[in-house]
Amino acid sequence: MSPPQQQCLQASSIRLPLQGALCASLACALAWSAPLAAQDLVEPVATEEAVQPGRIIAFRADNLDYDDEGDVVTASGNVLMSSEDQSVRADEVRWDRRSGTIYANGNVRLVDNGGNQLYTESAELTERFEAGAIAEVLVALSAGGRLAARGGERSEGGDVVLRDAAYTACPVTDPEGCNKTPSWRITASKVIFDPETNRISFNGAMLELFGARILPMPGLAFRTDGRAISGFLVPDLRVSESNGVEVSGSYHWRIADNKDLTVGTHLYTKATPMVSGEWRHLTDRGAYQITGYATHSRRITDFTGEPTSERDLRGYLAANGRFQFTPEWSLTSSIRVASDRTFLRRYDISRDDRLRSTINLERIDQNSYFSLAGWATQTLRLGQPQGQVPIALPVLDYRYRVTDPVAGGTVELQANSLSLVRKDGQDTQRAFASARWDLRRLTGLGQVVTLTALGRGDIYHSDENGQTVTESYRGEAGWQGRGIAVGAIDVEWPFVGEAFGGTQVLKPRLQLVASPSIRNLEIPNEDARAIDLEDSNLFSLNRFPGYDRVEDGVRLTYGFDWEVQRPGWRVKTTIGQSYRFDTQRQILPDGTGLSERVSDFVGRTEVRYRDRVKLTHRFRVDKDSLAVRRNEFDATIGSERTYVEVGYLRLNRDIAGIEDLQDREELRAAARIAFARYWSVFGAGVFNLTDKQEDPTFTSDGFQPIRTRLGIAYRDECLEFGLTWRRDYVNAGDAARGDTFQLTFALRNLGLR
């Protein structure tokens, strides 16, 4: 007996529905599951090769006997028989060549052409290594999981039928190689394996958790190669304030290897039933999927809390896909539309406050980029007019990088056009063409110098300008033109040295940007509204986020980056400020940090320690009062199983009357604490800290919970389940504030949620 066998025999039973010596042999089989066993390294005493019609069977062993009269080959001692992708290992093999039957005895391991491994003490096989009668068998599936049975045989149709069987995807040994009880298993009176379709089906299946029989699973089936098959999914259970108790179940239809359909039903105690469906299709050019929900119920679409008197057809449709026609050309699309503004929240499908639909045709090669796109947005915010939300169609963008250097630098050409149409608001059309030249050089003293020149010509057309509430966004109606010229010189000077037992890099930076006066206020502002000085745009040629507004005049920007690295640690900080040489500030509102000659201070600090600590702090400080105008903090501390996450944001800009630049204060927190090896508790919350002084439209006193969550979960190598409690504190139409409880459950290898 080999050392692995002795070790396994000394261990306890693996506690499958088999007992005694079988349990010990199954545990030993796990130790033999490596592709190359130790005995394979021993030079065999005898080898033989037999040729069957269209098939070669090779075998080797320590001892080999051949009976001429009976035409029987007997091999013993480390026997290995192989043919194509199949093999048999055993202590002894007797091959009756006349009947075409192979009898294997003692520590038998059979590997089929799908990579599944069968372990038993004795087996009767055909010359194609197809099993006949088997007793006390363990099957290790290539896709993961193990199947054990008291016995089995092959039916006339070629199926393998196992009796008194159990299946689990859990490990049945611990890291020391000793046996352990799996978290879950499925027992069945009969298991049928179809080798043609690689399908395993169960009769009389029962799910057991930690040894307790809890749930019958009629019709359970799966494939040994891990591919999905048709069948019912395990139901979901949820309790919410808006809908009461929800039980949802789905049926998955595997139409082909490249397409499937899942249809579901959702039953509620406080709402009418809902149906859902998901279609997925993989083509030779790409893939797409379509998801939909539909019901018929009363709805609330405003803050009154009163439902409409009539029931409406309500639903949600989401579709997306991507197709690659050639290495350069591709098409990407996404469609999201809901019947009303509260449907997604009412049925806890999504908490988005807007739904975007887009289509984008792209061509990308080494030196050029082309995009022809369209965008449409459905607002889900209560009280916001849909007619004020624009449709962008078409949106065209083309860029070309000239391959040959021009005056030693690189040139990029760009053409862009945009059309925005509103049902009840301002319409705007825009087109521009630009050229940008960049020259980057390294001086003898180590400075990195970049010269930039940008020229652009714009054409705009707009009407219904008076319907835009913010006057500075309107621009002048009719046709407008604009020319833009920008020049810049940027100098970085990195210094490298030792510090704190590691390496530090100090990089002062200086940038001078100049541009003549630009006709900004005559041009509509559609994409450059939320201007705010940040570390990310401090050294940008244009600190506005879009194309419709461009900073003019002359400004000098200065700052530095400092970074230190030592084993396991990295600390990086950035700080800077800018100075404007002129006093014009028509397009820069007070409070943005850019409106006066000297800007506010902005910066960012990052701290990293391995994968345990991640801290990021971003700030903007008023240059005169040193008041913090922007304070953003994100931190993650802990491991994958135990961690704390905190996020805080405060925008204190003192800007009145401009919706895009209102003050906000928010706190986000989440934590997970692992205990007892596989268990954990978790919680999260989002809190609005904005008070009436910061925004008069708010009624909060400065602390308003938006959403909180608390739960407990179990997760091991093959099982996940948990209970989550969530509380919403704000009514949104018929998505009522209140408590929601949800039970989650997942088994590895069975595709159960």
Side-chain angles (χ1 to χ4, degrees):
M1 183 176 295
S2 65
Q5 288 175 292
Q6 294 175 355
Q7 182 180 2
C8 292
L9 287 174
Q10 293 170 359
S12 60
S13 167
I14 64 172
R15 299 180 185 176
L16 286 170
L18 313 169
Q19 302 295 331
L22 171 62
C23 292
S25 67
L26 298 183
C28 293
L30 299 174
W32 292 5
S33 60
L36 184 64
Q39 58 264 32
D40 296 335
L41 304 178
V42 179
E43 186 68 26
V45 173
T47 62
E48 186 69 27
E49 192 171 273
V51 180
Q52 300 296 327
R55 183 180 180 88
I56 296 177
I57 299 178
F59 58 90
R60 60 182 179 179
D62 293 341
N63 301 289
L64 186 64
D65 294 321
Y66 179 63
D67 181 1
D68 285 330
E69 294 183 2
D71 197 11
V72 175
V73 178
T74 302
S76 61
N78 300 321
V79 182
L80 171 61
M81 301 183 66
S82 61
S83 178
E84 298 175 353
D85 294 331
Q86 298 174 283
S87 65
V88 177
R89 283 189 174 92
D91 294 341
E92 182 182 81
V93 170
R94 188 166 60 89
W95 181 9
D96 187 338
R97 293 164 59 90
R98 290 182 178 176
S99 64
T101 304
I102 299 173
Y103 301 93
N105 293 285
N107 299 316
V108 179
R109 185 179 78 165
L110 168 65
V111 181
D112 65 17
N113 52 17
N116 304 304
Q117 303 179 52
L118 181 149
Y119 300 90
T120 185
E121 280 299 306
S122 62
E124 178 183 318
L125 310 171
T126 69
E127 289 179 340
R128 292 190 173 274
F129 295 171
E130 296 172 338
I134 307 173
E136 309 288 310
V137 61
L138 169 70
V139 180
L141 303 175
S142 60
R146 294 166 177 82
L147 184 65
R150 294 191 183 278
E153 65 276 336
R154 181 174 294 275
S155 67
E156 294 182 358
D159 295 343
V160 177
V161 181
L162 302 178
R163 303 183 306 276
D164 297 331
Y167 169 80
T168 184
C170 300
V172 293
T173 58
D174 58 23
E176 290 74 29
C178 296
N179 306 321
K180 72 172 187 176
T181 303
S183 303
W184 65 267
R185 67 177 185 178
I186 295 173
T187 60
S189 58
K190 182 189 295 185
V191 174
I192 302 173
F193 170 54
D194 183 351
E196 294 295 328
T197 61
N198 292 318
R199 178 187 174 98
I200 293 181
S201 56
F202 294 75
N203 291 342
M206 178 68 69
L207 174 63
E208 295 185 5
L209 285 182
F210 305 106
R213 296 164 63 88
I214 64 167
L215 182 67
M217 306 186 72
L220 176 65
F222 62 89
R223 291 175 59 113
T224 60
D225 55 11
R227 296 183 180 180
I229 62 173
S230 301
F232 288 96
L233 304 179
V234 170
D236 288 335
L237 178 64
R238 180 163 48 191
V239 181
S240 65
E241 189 71 27
S242 299
N243 303 312
V245 179
E246 174 190 354
V247 179
S248 60
S250 302
Y251 181 82
H252 178 80
W253 181 17
R254 184 74 169 184
I255 301 173
D257 288 342
N258 66 331
K259 62 183 71 173
D260 58 37
L261 174 66
T262 302
V263 293
T265 302
H266 307 256
L267 303 178
Y268 309 93
T269 58
K270 296 171 62 175
T272 55
M274 181 172 65
V275 296
S276 63
E278 182 184 42
W279 167 263
R280 302 186 301 177
H281 188 193
L282 176 64
T283 72
D284 57 349
R285 297 289 187 181
Y288 68 96
Q289 63 179 6
I290 303 173
T291 302
Y293 297 82
T295 187
H296 197 263
S297 64
R298 293 189 298 171
R299 60 188 171 96
I300 305 171
T301 57
D302 54 32
F303 289 107
T304 64
E306 295 297 330
T308 57
S309 58
E310 297 181 0
R311 294 182 179 271
D312 296 327
L313 180 64
R314 308 178 65 188
Y316 169 64
L317 177 67
N320 61 79
R322 178 179 174 84
F323 299 91
Q324 194 76 38
F325 304 113
T326 69
E328 296 82 17
W329 286 95
S330 65
L331 178 67
T332 304
S333 63
S334 175
I335 299 174
R336 300 182 68 194
V337 59
S339 60
D340 55 83
R341 304 192 182 195
T342 61
F343 177 81
L344 294 180
R345 288 200 176 193
R346 164 71 184 272
Y347 294 100
D348 209 11
I349 299 171
S350 170
R351 296 193 166 272
D352 294 337
D353 60 1
R354 60 178 64 88
L355 301 179
R356 294 186 178 93
S357 299
T358 180
I359 184 169
N360 189 11
L361 177 66
E362 292 179 294
R363 186 187 187 278
I364 304 174
D365 61 23
Q366 186 175 359
N367 295 305
S368 67
Y369 171 78
F370 170 82
S371 170
L372 180 61
W375 293 82
T377 302
Q378 178 185 4
T379 181
L380 301 184
R381 296 181 179 180
L382 301 181
Q384 180 180 8
Q386 178 65 46
Q388 291 285 339
V389 180
I391 296 176
L393 183 72
V395 182
L396 186 147
D397 190 53
Y398 176 73
R399 307 182 190 199
Y400 177 75
R401 183 174 58 195
V402 179
T403 55
D404 297 327
V406 177
T410 60
V411 173
E412 181 178 295
L413 307 177
Q414 181 181 6
N416 181 282
S417 70
L418 167 70
S419 175
L420 295 178
V421 178
R422 294 177 175 88
K423 180 180 179 181
D424 301 315
Q426 177 175 331
D427 297 337
T428 302
Q429 293 80 42
R430 175 193 74 200
F432 72 78
S434 70
R436 175 169 173 166
W437 174 82
D438 289 284
L439 174 65
R440 186 180 179 91
R441 289 291 185 266
L442 180 64
T443 70
L445 295 177
Q447 298 104 333
V448 180
V449 180
T450 303
L451 301 177
T452 301
L454 172 69
R456 200 178 94 190
D458 301 347
I459 298 177
Y460 281 78
H461 179 269
S462 59
D463 53 26
E464 304 293 337
N465 300 58
Q467 297 193 40
T468 297
V469 177
T470 304
E471 184 176 355
S472 61
Y473 292 164
R474 296 174 182 172
E476 295 183 1
W479 291 95
Q480 304 293 331
R482 179 175 65 176
I484 297 170
V486 180
I489 179 171
D490 193 309
V491 181
E492 300 177 60
W493 198 353
F495 297 90
V496 181
E498 297 181 356
F500 309 105
T503 303
Q504 68 170 336
V505 179
L506 176 64
K507 185 170 63 176
R509 186 174 180 182
L510 187 69
Q511 181 193 61
L512 181 67
V513 180
S515 176
S517 179
I518 298 175
R519 299 179 68 239
N520 275 299
L521 293 180
E522 290 84 352
I523 302 299
N525 184 2
E526 298 282 4
D527 66 0
R529 298 183 175 185
I531 173 65
D532 198 0
L533 181 62
E534 305 175 23
D535 64 282
S536 60
N537 65 9
L538 176 64
F539 288 94
S540 299
L541 288 183
N542 180 28
R543 266 105 51 119
F544 282 92
Y547 294 111
D548 293 338
R549 291 288 182 267
V550 180
E551 280 189 86
D552 52 9
V554 181
R555 68 178 185 270
L556 180 68
T557 305
Y558 43 87
F560 68 86
D561 297 333
W562 179 74
E563 181 177 356
V564 60
Q565 293 190 29
R566 55 169 301 172
W569 284 91
R570 188 185 77 172
V571 179
K572 182 178 181 180
T573 188
T574 299
I575 190 169
Q577 189 183 39
S578 66
Y579 175 81
R580 184 180 301 279
F581 287 87
D582 59 72
T583 58
Q584 294 185 8
R585 52 177 186 171
Q586 294 175 316
I587 63 172
L588 296 167
D590 288 331
T592 60
L594 292 166
S595 57
E596 300 184 15
R597 276 195 167 187
V598 180
S599 76
D600 290 346
F601 296 97
V602 293
R604 178 181 62 194
T605 299
E606 299 179 4
V607 179
R608 297 286 188 271
Y609 175 67
R610 302 188 189 277
D611 293 329
R612 301 285 180 173
V613 177
K614 299 178 183 179
L615 306 176
T616 301
H617 179 224
R618 302 173 66 190
F619 61 89
R620 177 163 67 88
V621 178
D622 190 285
K623 69 179 189 336
D624 297 320
S625 64
L626 299 183
V628 179
R629 298 301 182 188
R630 181 189 188 103
N631 194 13
E632 187 174 356
F633 180 81
D634 288 285
T636 301
I637 302 174
S639 63
E640 182 180 355
R641 298 190 64 219
T642 298
Y643 59 85
V644 175
E645 294 180 347
V646 178
Y648 172 78
L649 172 65
R650 177 170 180 171
L651 301 176
N652 180 21
R653 296 178 284 202
D654 290 336
I655 301 175
I658 301 180
E659 178 185 359
D660 305 280
L661 300 173
Q662 293 297 308
D663 292 344
R664 290 292 183 267
E665 189 171 6
E666 180 182 277
L667 174 66
R668 308 176 308 278
R672 180 180 291 271
I673 300 175
F675 66 96
R677 190 173 184 181
Y678 295 122
W679 290 89
S680 63
V681 294
F682 57 89
V686 179
F687 308 92
N688 178 23
L689 305 182
T690 309
D691 57 28
K692 289 182 289 187
Q693 292 182 348
E694 294 173 309
D695 191 337
T697 63
F698 277 71
T699 59
S700 169
D701 59 359
F703 183 85
Q704 181 183 23
I706 303 299
R707 188 166 57 255
T708 55
R709 184 169 62 104
L710 186 65
I712 185 170
Y714 175 93
R715 180 179 183 181
D716 61 21
E717 302 90 340
C718 59
L719 171 65
E720 294 183 35
F721 66 87
L723 179 64
T724 302
W725 163 78
R726 192 189 74 234
R727 181 170 181 81
D728 293 287
Y729 294 85
V730 179
N731 287 322
D734 55 358
R737 58 181 295 177
D739 300 321
T740 299
F741 297 89
Q742 184 169 6
L743 179 66
T744 58
F745 183 75
L747 301 178
R748 176 188 169 196
N749 278 24
L750 289 185
L752 307 183
R753 297 191 302 272

